[in-house]
Amino acid sequence: MLFWHVPAPNEAMLISGSKRQAQDTQFRIVTGHGSFVLPVKQKARMLSLALREAEIVEDCVTQQGIRLRVRAVSVFKVGDDAVSIANAARRFLAEQERMEELVGRIFAGHLRSIIGGLTVEQIIRERDRVAQEVKQGSHSEMEKLGIVVDALQIQEIDDTTGYIDNLAAPHAAAVASQARIAQAKADQEAAEREQQAAALKAEYERDTSIKRAGFHAETEQVNARAAQAGPLAEARASQETIEERTALARRQALLAAQRLEAEVRRPADAEAYRQRTLAEAARDRAKFEADGGAYKERTIAQAQADANTARAASLKDGNQELIAANRIVENLPALAEAAARGMSGAHLTVLNGTDGVNDVAAGLVGQGMAILDSLKHGTGTPGTPSSVNGKAALRVTESS
């Protein structure tokens, strides 16, 4: 509306010319709502309640006489109460743009005063204390100006004489030494870690190479086995065939040996045994014949000797019986020869070898001697034997 004025949330409207005054001021303060302003009769002005910032750069001298350049910043605003708004309106309503400069000058004066009573070490170490003392020192003045200080901070302290640098040199050197030591340790640890990483990398590469080589070897081995599977199977089949043929040849050789044993060796052994048996029989027969001939000759010789002796005795004594016996003895060789021929052509079973043959021959001679003895003791005519007619008979039993 034309006569209705409304201040912003961060503004205070000051209406002068009004008869209605809530405060003990010459103007009416309106905040947070609107109000009618009568033209010509009343006049409305706006006072900013927004936050403001004042930068302070001031050369200060410390208690030690050392010059420092201090940079600070102050944050302030016009108070929200009616007294603060009225005080600020009376002082800054026409010069609101210069409010930061004016407030900064006030803070600069208090800052020089506070720093002048402190040492450099205190200022460096206790910046909050400096800011708090500046705020407290300017509180009464700021209250008269209607200003509320929200914050005051010391931003930077410059030392043109180098005192702060010299003061910090030992600490800087120690810190630098520690920094170098720490850097050396860090470099050493980094080098060790790099070495460990390189060793791990080399070990990993080695293991990878070994595994790759192992995989390659296994692959080559499998491929070789696959390539050799066919020839190996053929070789095994050939080997089995050779083994079967060898076993067959061994069985055939065994069968041939058995056939040779049955068809050749055993008949040959039997034939050799037959020949050996026949040879032994021929040998025994020849020996028997030789023994019989020798015995025959001995018997004949003995009989002739006995006959000659008997003949001589009979001729000497004139004994006829002896003469008859002499005739028998004369025929005895013929009888022994006939007995020997009969024995040589006969199939005899001799149970006692050579002794048996001798016994047979002795039996024959004994039979002749028995005949002779019977003639000697006979009762017939002297010189004519009753049972023997000039010849003696000898029976030889054949054995089939």
Side-chain angles (χ1 to χ4, degrees):
M1 295 177 65
L2 182 59
F3 305 113
W4 182 261
H5 295 269
V6 180
N10 59 347
E11 290 181 339
M13 185 170 63
L14 306 178
I15 302 173
S16 59
S18 176
K19 294 182 180 179
R20 295 183 298 108
Q21 299 176 1
Q23 296 88 10
D24 187 11
T25 59
Q26 291 83 17
F27 51 84
R28 186 159 56 93
I29 301 173
V30 179
T31 57
H33 59 85
S35 177
F36 282 103
V37 179
L38 299 176
V40 181
K41 186 178 181 181
Q42 295 178 342
K43 187 177 183 180
R45 299 288 297 276
M46 297 296 180
L47 177 63
S48 176
L49 303 180
L51 190 66
R52 297 174 182 271
E53 179 181 343
E55 186 176 357
I56 305 166
V57 180
E58 192 67 24
D59 292 333
C60 306
V61 179
T62 64
Q63 184 181 5
Q64 300 160 319
I66 299 172
R67 185 175 295 277
L68 301 176
R69 179 177 289 273
V70 180
R71 186 185 298 276
V73 63
S74 175
V75 179
F76 65 93
K77 66 181 292 294
V78 177
D80 295 331
D81 59 292
V83 176
S84 297
I85 293 173
N87 291 336
R90 293 189 182 98
R91 292 171 176 82
F92 303 110
L93 185 60
E95 298 180 353
Q96 295 187 46
E97 293 79 5
R98 298 181 60 202
M99 185 179 297
E100 290 86 353
E101 181 182 356
L102 296 174
V103 173
R105 290 178 181 177
I106 295 172
F107 280 119
H110 287 283
L111 183 61
R112 285 195 303 272
S113 175
I114 297 301
I115 288 177
L118 299 174
T119 62
V120 178
E121 289 81 357
Q122 291 175 340
I123 295 170
I124 294 172
R125 296 172 183 172
E126 302 176 2
R127 292 189 180 187
D128 292 339
R129 173 187 171 185
V130 174
Q132 190 66 27
E133 288 183 0
V134 171
K135 286 174 63 176
Q136 291 177 359
S138 62
H139 178 70
S140 59
E141 296 179 357
M142 294 294 110
E143 188 177 3
K144 291 178 182 180
L145 297 175
I147 300 299
V148 177
V149 180
D150 290 339
L152 177 64
Q153 294 293 332
I154 305 298
Q155 290 184 334
E156 186 179 357
I157 300 174
D158 294 334
D159 179 17
T160 58
T161 61
Y163 180 84
I164 296 177
D165 294 338
N166 295 329
L167 184 65
H171 301 286
V175 172
S177 177
Q178 294 177 359
R180 288 193 298 272
I181 294 172
Q183 184 65 36
K185 291 182 178 180
D187 294 340
Q188 182 180 359
E189 292 178 357
E192 291 178 355
R193 290 179 181 178
E194 289 178 357
Q195 292 177 357
Q196 292 176 358
L200 292 176
K201 183 179 179 181
E203 184 178 359
Y204 176 76
E205 291 178 354
R206 181 199 64 188
D207 294 340
T208 303
S209 300
I210 292 174
K211 289 182 180 179
R212 187 181 294 111
F215 295 153
H216 182 70
E218 290 179 0
T219 304
E220 293 296 332
Q221 186 176 5
V222 171
N223 293 333
R225 288 179 180 176
Q228 294 176 357
L232 184 61
E234 293 179 359
R236 288 179 178 174
S238 178
Q239 182 179 1
E240 292 177 357
T241 302
I242 292 172
E243 291 178 356
E244 291 295 331
R245 289 180 178 177
T246 303
L248 179 59
R250 187 181 295 110
R251 289 194 296 271
Q252 290 178 352
L254 181 60
L255 181 61
Q258 292 177 355
R259 186 181 294 112
L260 180 64
E261 178 74 19
E263 295 179 357
V264 177
R265 184 176 179 181
R266 290 184 180 177
D269 292 342
E271 180 64 21
Y273 180 76
R274 187 177 71 82
Q275 294 295 334
R276 187 170 58 253
T277 304
L278 292 176
E280 291 178 355
R283 183 195 63 191
D284 293 340
R285 184 171 63 248
K287 184 177 181 181
F288 175 76
E289 290 177 354
D291 292 339
Y295 187 78
K296 179 186 74 174
E297 292 178 357
R298 288 195 305 270
T299 304
I300 292 172
Q302 182 66 36
Q304 288 178 355
D306 294 337
N308 292 329
T309 302
R311 188 182 298 116
S314 63
L315 292 177
K316 181 179 180 180
D317 296 332
N319 191 352
Q320 296 297 322
E321 293 178 358
L322 294 176
I323 294 172
N326 186 22
R327 291 179 181 179
I328 294 173
V329 170
E330 290 177 353
N331 293 324
L332 185 60
L335 294 175
E337 183 178 359
R341 283 197 303 270
M343 291 176 64
S344 62
H347 295 284
L348 300 177
T349 301
V350 181
L351 302 178
N352 200 15
T354 304
D355 296 334
V357 174
N358 296 330
D359 291 340
V360 171
L364 293 175
V365 174
Q367 289 180 2
M369 296 303 295
I371 294 172
L372 181 60
D373 187 66
S374 62
L375 289 175
K376 290 180 178 182
H377 297 85
T379 57
T381 304
T384 55
S386 60
S387 61
V388 177
N389 190 15
K391 294 182 180 178
L394 177 63
R395 296 182 62 186
V396 178
T397 304
E398 293 185 355
S399 176
S400 57

